[in-house]
Amino acid sequence: MKGVEKAIDKEFPQSTKRVCAKDLYSNFKMKWGGPAFHDLFWRAANATSAHAFNKAIDEINRLSRPAADYLLSVNQQWSKHEFDPAITFDHNTSNFVESFNAVINELREKPVLTFMEGIRNHFMEKFAERMAVADSLQMHEPTPYAKEILDYNIHGSNQCMVIQAGGGEFEVLEGTKPHPLDILKGTCLCGGWQVTGIPCKHAYRAFT
Ligand SMILES: [Zn+2]
């Protein structure tokens, strides 16, 4: 891994690095186990805003200062709020790498060219499958994955209220908490829109 890290620094100097939150949690729970730490850890890991992250870390800190210090000392990204919004890729576990590993497992023993050709074939098939899905969609119809998130956000938007509007800017109330929102910039205080690239429930409320 050390060699890979060096090569990435050299070839992709602007890239940010993430550590798998699931692996981080496995280490974390050896010292700080139990459902309270579990819930707070995943609240911190899945937080799309600094505010939500800090709230979870504060609660961990109340239970154990060393636990909070340990998490804050991790120097690679693992909480969604840290992710670069230009990437709009919000995965904080390496599950998708594991499915890639599952694919290459059967090829591992093969000579290198057969190995590469096997990977290429696999992706040709994957791309073809996705192209077929894309072809079946209407012009502005979201993909099934985006639709799932959108449906969830549309459902959640029912509990929100728009209290102010001017230009592309809105303030959306969820309960008593205001969420400043900028439709033209694609930003919301909750951070969900920025991190995933898919409008959050507050944005959806403002749209409708
Ligand atoms: Zn939002």
Side-chain angles (χ1 to χ4, degrees), residues 34-53:
F37 280 120
H38 175 271
D39 291 353
L40 289 168
F41 175 89
W42 285 107
R43 256 171 57 193
N46 292 325
T48 52
S49 72
H51 177 76
F53 175 78

Side-chain angles (χ1 to χ4, degrees), residues 81-162:
H81 82 285
E82 302 172 287
F83 298 167
D84 182 351
I87 301 170
T88 59
F89 181 76
D90 68 331
H91 291 243
N92 60 2
T93 68
S94 58
N95 288 356
F96 67 98
V97 180
E98 276 151 34
S99 52
F100 178 73
N101 279 344
V103 171
I104 64 168
N105 247 346
E106 56 191 75
L107 297 165
R108 245 181 234 285
E109 314 285 307
K110 303 268 164 53
V112 76
L113 279 181
T114 316
F115 173 79
M116 299 298 281
E117 184 59 14
I119 293 174
R120 195 183 67 88
N121 284 345
H122 174 77
F123 280 105
M124 265 182 71
E125 280 169 26
K126 270 274 168 245
F127 291 157
E129 270 169 35
R130 294 198 171 190
M131 186 61 94
V133 173
D135 275 344
S136 72
L137 296 174
Q138 300 298 315
M139 188 61 177
H140 293 292
E141 192 182 342
T143 63
Y145 175 70
K147 198 169 179 310
E148 219 174 274
I149 297 175
L150 263 178
D151 284 346
Y152 179 80
N153 288 347
I154 290 168
H155 182 74
S157 76
N158 294 334
Q159 304 137 17
C160 301
M161 223 172 73
V162 179

